[in-house]
C-alpha cells in the first residue's frame, strides 16, 4: 500500500515572476534543510526512489505526475508550478515546445533555441538583496541583460570563481551564496555572497529602453507582433554572432561594453553573457530607437513596439527592424534598421541590401 504524501506545514508564497529553483531554495530555507532533502519532502522525487539528481529539465519542465505530487505536499497548484518553469514561455518568448516532452527532447530543444539558460541564471544583486534572495525566471532568458530599475547590467558569472550563478545541480551554495568549486583551487568552495557583488553600471539610455521593451515583450509576447519582433531580433543577433567580422563596429556606449566587445577574442557565446548580449543588441538596434537627429537613424522606431508592428496578414509587409548583413551571395553589406528589403525563405526572413533588389519579390 502506497504511503500517503505528507502535507508540509511551512510553504513559502512564490515571489512574482520567481523561477522554480528559487522557490525550492526558499522552501528549503523555511524548513531549514538542504535542496536535495527539500526535493524529497516536497515529492519532486518519486516516492521510493533510491537516488535522484536534478537534471537540466528540472527548471524547464515538470511532468503532470510530479506537479500533482507537489500540489499534494505544498498546496501549490500545477498552474503556478508551470508558470515557474521555462516551459511557461513556450508559444510566447520561446517557440512551440516539442510534442513529446521527455528529458532528451527538452534538453535538445533548449540547446537548439539558444534563447534560454536552463543550467544557470543571470542576476541583479540589488534585486536579490531587496527580495530576500528570490531569483526571477526572466533571468534565465537571453533577452534579460540589464535591470532597468537599478540601472545595471546583470551578472552572468560569479565575480570570484567565474562559474555560473544559481545552477541547477545541487551544491554547498544557497540562493545567495555562490558555492562553486573554482577551477584553480578544486578543493576549496567559493563562498562569495552574490547579493554583495557589484555589477557594471548601465548609463546607455538606448540600451535601457531596449531592455524596457524586451521586458514588456517577455511579460506579454502575445500582443500584436510581439512574437515576430522577438524572432526578428534573435535572427539579427545570430547573424552578427555568425558573421561578426562583417558587422559594423559597436556604436558609442558604456565603456564596459567596448572592453567586452573588443576582448571577446572571436568567441561570441553570448547566451549567458549579458555584456555580449547588450553589445549585439546595441549593434542590431542602433538605428531603430531614436536618439539622433538624422532621419535615417529614427527610421522604423514605431515598429519596434508591438503596437507599431503591421498585422500578419495586412497589405503592408514587415520592415527590417534590426540591423543585418545582406544575405545575397558574396555580399557582406550591412543593412541598417529601417533600410533594405526582406525576402521570405524556408530558413526565415532574409535581409537584402538595395544593390540586390533583383533577388527580391517585393520591397520591405
Amino acid at each position: 500500500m502506497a504511503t500517503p504524501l505528507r502535507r508540509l506545514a511551512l510553504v513559502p508564497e512564490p515571489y512574482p515572476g520567481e523561477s522554480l529553483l528559487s522557490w525550492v531554495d526558499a522552501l528549503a530555507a523555511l524548513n531549514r534543510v538542504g535542496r536535495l532533502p527539500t526535493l524529497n519532502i516536497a515529492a519532486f522525487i518519486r516516492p521510493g526512489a533510491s537516488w535522484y539528481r536534478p537534471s537540466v529539465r528540472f527548471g524547464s519542465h515538470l511532468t503532470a505526475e510530479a506537479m500533482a505530487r507537489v500540489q499534494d505536499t505544498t498546496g501549490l497548484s500545477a498552474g503556478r508550478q508551470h508558470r515557474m518553469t521555462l516551459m511557461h514561455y513556450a508559444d510566447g518568448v520561446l517557440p512551440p515546445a516539442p510534442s513529446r516532452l521527455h528529458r532528451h527532447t527538452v534538453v535538445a530543444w533548449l540547446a537548439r533555441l539558444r534563447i534560454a539558460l536552463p543550467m544557470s541564471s543571470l542576476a541583479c544583486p540589488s534585486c536579490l538583496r531587496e527580495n530576500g534572495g528570490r531569483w526571477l525566471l526572466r533571468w534565465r532568458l537571453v533577452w534579460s541583460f540589464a535591470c532597468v530599475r537599478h540601472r545595471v547590467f546583470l551578472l552572468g558569472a560569479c565575480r570570484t570563481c567565474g562559474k555560473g550563478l544559481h545552477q541547477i545541480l545541487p551544491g554547498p551554495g544557497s540562493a545567495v551564496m555562490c558555492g562553486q568549486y573554482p577551477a584553480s583551487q578544486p578543493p576549496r568552495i567559493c563562498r562569495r555572497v552574490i547579493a554583495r557583488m557589484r555589477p557594471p553600471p548601465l548609463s546607455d539610455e538606448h540600451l535601457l529602453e531596449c531592455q524596457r521593451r524586451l521586458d514588456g515583450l517577455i511579460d506579454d509576447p502575445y500582443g500584436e507582433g510581439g512574437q515576430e519582433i522577438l524572432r526578428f531580433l534573435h535572427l539579427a543577433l545570430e547573424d552578427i554572432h555568425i558573421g561578426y567580422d562583417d558587422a559594423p563596429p559597436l556604436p558609442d556606449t558604456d565603456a564596459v561594453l567596448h572592453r567586452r566587445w573588443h576582448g571577446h577574442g572571436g568567441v561570441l557565446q553570448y547566451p549567458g553573457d549579458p555584456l555580449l548580449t547588450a553589445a549585439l543588441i546595441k549593434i542590431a538596434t542602433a538605428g531603430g530607437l531614436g536618439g539622433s537627429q538624422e532621419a535615417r537613424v529614427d527610421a522604423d522606431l514605431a515598429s519596434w513596439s508591438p503596437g507599431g508592428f503591421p498585422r500578419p496578414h495586412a497589405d503592408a509587409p514587415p520592415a527590417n527592424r534590426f540591423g543585418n548583413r545582406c544575405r545575397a551571395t558574396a555580399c557582406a553589406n550591412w543593412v541598417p534598421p529601417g533600410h533594405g528589403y526582406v525576402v521570405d525563405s524556408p530558413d526565415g526572413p532574409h535581409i537584402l541590401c538595395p544593390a540586390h533588389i533583383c533577388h527580391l519579390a517585393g520591397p520591405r
Side-chain angles (χ1 to χ4, degrees):
M1 180 177 179
T3 303
L5 295 174
R6 175 189 172 192
R7 180 65 177 264
L8 299 178
L10 301 176
V11 177
E13 183 71 12
Y15 187 82
E18 186 175 19
S19 72
L20 179 65
L21 186 64
S22 175
W23 181 77
V24 169
D25 284 342
L27 180 64
L30 192 60
N31 288 273
R32 298 185 178 182
V33 294
R35 183 184 290 175
L36 276 180
T38 300
L39 294 173
N40 193 1
I41 63 176
F44 284 100
I45 302 173
R46 184 182 295 108
S50 59
W51 184 85
Y52 178 79
R53 181 177 181 175
S55 70
V56 65
R57 187 186 65 172
F58 175 77
S60 307
H61 170 64
L62 288 176
T63 64
E65 178 186 357
M67 287 191 290
R69 293 196 305 265
V70 174
Q71 183 168 347
D72 289 341
T73 58
T74 67
L76 196 66
S77 69
R80 297 192 75 179
Q81 295 176 55
H82 175 78
R83 288 195 294 273
M84 292 191 289
T85 67
L86 288 174
M87 202 58 64
H88 167 65
Y89 292 128
D91 283 319
V93 176
L94 303 180
S99 56
R100 298 184 62 184
L101 295 174
H102 54 78
R103 177 179 178 181
H104 299 293
T105 57
V106 171
V107 171
W109 177 65
L110 291 173
R112 184 173 63 253
L113 293 179
R114 292 173 51 83
I115 299 176
L117 309 172
M119 291 294 291
S120 63
S121 177
L122 308 178
C124 172
S126 296
C127 288
L128 291 175
R129 288 196 300 271
E130 294 174 358
N131 62 27
R134 312 297 276 268
W135 294 69
L136 304 185
L137 182 62
R138 69 164 66 245
W139 290 346
R140 292 185 178 269
L141 294 174
V142 71
W143 298 128
S144 293
F145 62 86
C147 176
V148 174
R149 180 181 176 187
H150 297 106
R151 300 176 71 92
V152 296
F153 291 103
L154 298 182
L155 291 178
C158 175
R159 300 302 294 268
T160 298
C161 69
K163 297 293 186 68
L165 302 173
H166 207 223
Q167 297 195 34
I168 292 290
L169 300 180
S174 66
V176 294
M177 189 182 74
C178 176
Q180 300 299 315
Y181 296 93
S184 59
Q185 298 173 316
R188 297 185 58 185
I189 299 173
C190 177
R191 298 188 181 276
R192 181 76 178 269
V193 178
I194 301 170
R196 295 178 184 172
M197 296 180 187
R198 292 185 179 182
L202 171 58
S203 60
D204 188 331
E205 294 295 336
H206 175 107
L207 285 174
L208 284 170
E209 181 62 21
C210 284
Q211 187 63 77
R212 288 190 189 97
R213 296 191 182 195
L214 287 170
D215 287 347
L217 291 176
I218 291 172
D219 294 336
D220 183 23
Y222 306 104
E224 187 176 359
Q227 290 171 295
E228 287 86 352
I229 288 175
L230 292 170
R231 181 168 64 97
F232 269 73
L233 182 54
H234 188 244
L235 287 172
L237 299 194
E238 283 290 281
D239 194 62
I240 301 172
H241 161 253
I242 295 170
Y244 66 89
D245 284 333
D246 298 321
L250 178 65
D252 184 38
T253 182
D254 291 320
V256 66
L257 280 193
H258 284 282
R259 288 195 297 269
R260 185 68 186 94
W261 178 250
H262 294 294
H264 61 70
V267 180
L268 274 176
Q269 299 301 325
Y270 68 91
D273 190 326
L275 295 182
L276 278 182
T277 300
L280 292 173
I281 289 178
K282 179 72 175 182
I283 293 173
T285 63
L289 291 179
S292 171
Q293 296 180 355
E294 298 182 21
R296 65 177 181 82
V297 177
D298 291 333
D300 204 35
L301 170 60
S303 65
W304 219 113
S305 62
F309 196 93
R311 290 181 175 84
H313 302 293
D315 293 335
N320 171 25
R321 281 157 181 77
F322 309 106
N324 243 310
R325 289 184 298 115
C326 177
R327 298 302 292 271
T329 304
C331 180
N333 290 333
W334 183 260
V335 186
H339 294 254
Y341 304 87
V342 179
V343 59
D344 292 326
S345 74
D347 299 328
H350 285 182
I351 308 301
L352 297 175
C353 67
H356 291 94
I357 186 174
C358 58
H359 295 271
L360 184 69
R364 297 295 192 268

